[in-house]
Amino acid sequence: MTTETRTLSDHSRSTSGLMLAMFIVLLASYVINAMDRQIFPLLAADVRKEYGFSLADTGLLSTIFTLGMAIAGWPTGALLARFTRKTVLQIGIAIFSVGTVLTAFATSMADMLIYRAATGIGEAMQLTALIAIATTSFVNFRAVAVGSINASFGVGAIIGPLLASVALGAYGSWRGPIILFGAIGFVAMAVIAVAVRPQLTEVQGRSGSERLSGGALTLFNRNTVILTILSLIGGLIIYGYLGMYPTFLREQLHFSPADTGRIMSIYGIGVLCSLIGGWLGDRFSQRAVLGLAFLGAAMLGYLLFSTSQSFAVQAILSFAWGFIVSGTIYVNLAGAHVKAVNASLAGRASGMFVTSLYGAAALAGYLIGFLANLTGWSHAGLIQITALSAIGAALSLAIRPELMSRT
């Protein structure tokens, strides 16, 4: 190896290490979002008791942020074509943090809904930019890169409920954890401003994108249409669980807040397996990975709401849900949306994913709460999770992996 070749190799490793370090900073900022997403459902019973909200209204509050995400996802894809990804991401964190803090000062159902929806707008901007950054910076491992984003959600899902329990005990009110996590967001903004360079965030059109070929030249193509329908289904099943499962544990199975928090943390451990779910998506076809994962979700939908009331069984099932649904279905839907199109459409494709999945998710908590009131939790799980997952498994067979972009 010549001196020049060795120098270039050392420089390449140094650059890769720097890119990875900056990406980890961005992932850490997403952990904060995950904390909030996990703690509000955990605190929902306390909020419901104080304000006198119905079960369906509580479910709506738990998932209304997804409406904000649905509204903002598609426009954010367009914003990414006009402004830097770092700018869009920072604005998103600011909106998210302000909405989170204001939630603690809500006086009624109406203004609390507004604040929770605003956090979704901020998260959509952050997530859409983050997916675009990940999939165009690490083109050989796009699903794994998206998996790392979701794994950071898992870290927040583990830490959030545990930290919320401590804050709840120290402050004596559900408002303490809410204010705490909102304030942390502003700290994350300051760190990103200093530590993250355009070298990572503004890579579209450079060497990473040049190594990609193929993919549709428009969002209106066979694979994107199918993936959008699957994302709608994914939103209903993922957030049916996230929005109301903690309430099911506390009010139906009579678990304590501490045990409920532990189970949701175990779910977060399952989400950490997103890197494995992403690896599967990069190694095998999306048709096979998504089809089998949706079949697994159908089985879990029945078991979660219809079987044993023991802590151990619910914990095992929640871990499996974290891995199969959040760690595999979510990750590969996000990755496949970007893979389905040419690299130049990465931002718009990630926006399409966010809008479709979170648009359906906005209704997920209310719907499963309504069904539980009407037919009981067991039938609600069968209808919203098992039946829809079975439909998703069948639709996955229509995906055409050979039409997607590749390195």
Side-chain angles (χ1 to χ4, degrees):
M1 181 183 290
T2 66
T3 302
E4 182 179 357
T5 301
R6 187 181 301 108
T7 300
L8 289 173
S9 178
D10 291 342
H11 176 72
S12 178
R13 284 195 295 269
S14 176
T15 300
S16 298
L18 179 61
M19 295 274 282
L20 183 59
M22 291 189 291
F23 187 56
I24 289 172
V25 171
L26 296 183
L27 293 179
S29 73
Y30 196 60
V31 169
I32 300 168
N33 276 353
M35 289 180 181
D36 178 76
R37 293 301 168 232
Q38 291 302 104
I39 67 166
F40 190 85
L42 180 64
L43 302 171
D46 301 292
V47 176
R48 181 186 177 202
K49 182 179 180 180
E50 179 175 331
Y51 288 87
F53 297 147
S54 69
L55 189 62
D57 286 342
T58 304
L60 182 61
L61 281 170
S62 295
T63 58
I64 191 61
F65 76 91
T66 57
L67 177 61
M69 294 192 73
I71 292 171
W74 177 256
T76 299
L79 284 176
L80 289 172
R82 295 177 175 269
F83 302 99
T84 67
R85 293 170 177 177
K86 182 177 178 180
T87 297
V88 173
L89 185 141
Q90 287 281 65
I91 293 172
I93 296 175
I95 294 173
F96 174 87
S97 300
V98 170
T100 298
V101 172
L102 289 177
T103 299
F105 300 96
T107 59
S108 65
M109 176 76 176
D111 61 335
M112 189 176 289
L113 281 173
I114 292 172
Y115 301 145
R116 297 303 297 169
T119 66
I121 293 174
E123 184 173 353
M125 297 178 71
Q126 181 187 13
L127 179 60
T128 303
L130 195 52
I131 291 174
I133 291 168
T135 53
T136 52
S137 296
F138 307 99
V139 295
N140 288 312
F141 306 98
R142 286 178 285 175
V144 171
V146 175
S148 69
I149 297 173
N150 210 43
S152 69
F153 182 96
V155 173
I158 295 169
I159 298 173
L162 300 177
L163 187 56
S165 297
V166 174
L168 184 62
Y171 194 78
S173 167
W174 60 270
R175 290 179 172 84
I178 295 291
I179 295 172
L180 173 64
F181 292 133
I184 294 175
F186 295 107
V187 176
M189 288 182 63
V191 174
I192 291 171
V194 174
V196 178
R197 304 176 187 175
Q199 179 183 2
L200 172 73
T201 59
E202 316 311 321
V203 297
Q204 190 171 7
R206 299 184 190 177
S207 59
S209 294
E210 291 167 0
R211 293 184 336 201
L212 288 169
S213 63
L217 298 177
T218 173
L219 290 177
F220 299 101
N221 64 84
R222 175 195 177 98
N223 282 334
T224 297
V225 170
I226 294 170
L227 289 166
T228 298
I229 297 172
L230 289 175
S231 296
L232 291 170
I233 293 173
L236 288 173
I237 65 172
I238 293 171
Y239 282 89
Y241 169 89
L242 286 176
M244 290 300 285
Y245 180 66
T247 302
F248 164 74
L249 292 178
R250 291 188 63 179
E251 297 192 1
Q252 179 69 18
L253 301 187
H254 306 294
F255 283 18
S256 68
D259 281 345
T260 300
R262 292 188 188 98
I263 287 178
M264 297 312 295
S265 291
I266 292 170
Y267 153 78
I269 296 174
V271 179
L272 288 178
C273 297
S274 294
L275 291 173
I276 299 174
W279 177 82
L280 291 171
D282 282 329
R283 184 174 179 83
F284 303 102
S285 76
Q286 282 71 34
R287 180 168 55 203
V289 173
L290 287 171
L292 291 173
F294 271 112
L295 281 178
M299 181 176 65
L300 288 172
Y302 169 76
L303 295 175
L304 279 165
F305 295 102
S306 304
T307 55
S308 173
Q309 298 183 8
S310 74
F311 176 91
V313 171
Q314 292 296 327
I316 292 170
L317 292 174
S318 289
F319 171 83
W321 181 273
F323 174 37
I324 294 173
V325 182
S326 294
T328 303
I329 291 178
Y330 179 95
V331 166
N332 284 285
L333 283 175
H337 267 279
V338 176
K339 290 179 179 180
V341 298
N342 184 268
S344 62
L345 294 175
R348 294 182 183 273
S350 60
M352 174 69 79
F353 162 72
V354 170
T355 290
S356 56
L357 187 137
Y358 290 100
L363 300 175
Y366 183 88
L367 178 59
I368 198 166
F370 173 80
L371 291 172
N373 265 335
L374 189 66
T375 65
W377 283 104
S378 178
H379 287 92
L382 281 172
I383 295 169
Q384 184 161 333
I385 297 180
T386 299
L388 286 178
S389 295
I391 294 172
L395 281 174
S396 297
L397 298 177
I399 295 174
R400 297 278 298 278
E402 68 274 12
L403 298 179
M404 294 185 172
S405 63
R406 63 193 65 210
T407 55

